[in-house]
Amino acid sequence: MTQDIQQIRIQPLTVEAFAPFGEVIVCEGNDFFHINDAHTERYHALSIAEALDATIGISIFRNIKKTDVPCSIQMLERHPIGSQAFIPMQGQSFLVVVAPNLNADQPDLDQIHAFISNGQQGVNYRAGTWHHPLLTLEAPSDFAVIDRIGTGHNCDVYSFTEKISIQP
């Protein structure tokens, strides 16, 4: 049986705290301009999708299992040649677990961060950012996902030897 090696406290998702890993996609605090005869506020280019030699796709991910907190994780993944954005479609909060690169092959497990979205925020992981797959607090949960569609290797998985505990 594996043991938890460290505990990561969940913190609120803010633009400043998440900046090393990507962008928070949220209207609050961002400028807009009116379009459609002033019926719509356009919050333009809140995040920029990255893709090398490929196209950008918009998909829906439906999580059918919820995550209870506290929880344990035992892996992180990254997409080295494209960003990946998750936007909640039902106003649901979700957990965001990220870590910086230690070197070209693994995340820095001593620098894992756990954030909680307020349900009005999405995230865009920069290309190469280590992150845990989607952790939803309710199920089913639908997310609009914007990411690279194309050939080439674009998913690395790093498994831990011991579990890491995510705490409220």
Side-chain angles (χ1 to χ4, degrees), residues 66-140:
K66 74 176 194 153
T67 299
D68 293 315
V69 176
C71 63
S72 293
I73 62 170
Q74 203 159 357
M75 61 79 74
L76 293 173
E77 67 179 25
R78 69 175 175 181
H79 307 287
I81 56 175
S83 61
Q84 189 176 47
F86 289 86
I87 303 168
M89 296 179 68
Q90 299 147 312
Q92 70 275 26
S93 61
F94 62 103
L95 296 179
V96 177
V97 179
V98 291
N101 287 330
L102 178 60
N103 59 38
D105 298 324
Q106 67 186 63
D108 184 346
L109 298 183
D110 293 325
Q111 294 297 316
I112 293 179
H113 298 270
F115 300 97
I116 187 163
S117 162
N118 66 14
Q120 302 303 307
Q121 303 163 305
V123 296
N124 184 44
Y125 300 118
R126 285 194 189 98
T129 295
W130 289 99
H131 63 278
H132 195 276
L134 199 53
L135 296 168
T136 60
L137 303 175
E138 56 189 84

Side-chain angles (χ1 to χ4, degrees), residues 2-167:
T2 59
Q3 303 228 342
D4 292 345
I5 59 171
Q6 69 188 85
Q7 293 186 357
I8 307 301
R9 295 273 177 212
I10 299 169
Q11 58 186 307
L13 179 62
T14 65
V15 170
E16 298 79 19
F18 194 71
F21 311 104
E23 298 86 28
V24 176
I25 302 169
V26 63
C27 293
E28 182 182 336
N30 286 296
D31 293 331
F32 65 89
F33 55 91
H34 286 102
I35 61 171
N36 301 331
D37 200 24
H39 289 206
T40 304
E41 295 174 347
R42 180 174 175 148
Y43 294 82
H44 184 70
L46 295 175
S47 182
I48 303 298
E50 303 168 315
L52 301 177
D53 299 325
T55 59
I56 301 296
I58 301 171
S59 305
I60 294 177
F61 285 19
R62 175 170 290 157
N63 267 35
I64 56 173
K65 289 186 177 182
K66 74 176 194 153
T67 299
D68 293 315
V69 176
C71 63
S72 293
I73 62 170
Q74 203 159 357
M75 61 79 74
L76 293 173
E77 67 179 25
R78 69 175 175 181
H79 307 287
I81 56 175
S83 61
Q84 189 176 47
F86 289 86
I87 303 168
M89 296 179 68
Q90 299 147 312
Q92 70 275 26
S93 61
F94 62 103
L95 296 179
V96 177
V97 179
V98 291
N101 287 330
L102 178 60
N103 59 38
D105 298 324
Q106 67 186 63
D108 184 346
L109 298 183
D110 293 325
Q111 294 297 316
I112 293 179
H113 298 270
F115 300 97
I116 187 163
S117 162
N118 66 14
Q120 302 303 307
Q121 303 163 305
V123 296
N124 184 44
Y125 300 118
R126 285 194 189 98
T129 295
W130 289 99
H131 63 278
H132 195 276
L134 199 53
L135 296 168
T136 60
L137 303 175
E138 56 189 84
S141 286
D142 290 349
F143 289 80
V145 178
I146 302 157
D147 61 357
R148 180 187 183 280
I149 307 297
T151 60
H153 178 77
N154 193 32
C155 187
D156 297 326
V157 175
Y158 183 81
S159 297
F160 316 151
T161 56
E162 298 176 318
K163 292 180 182 179
I164 293 177
S165 178
I166 306 299
Q167 298 289 320

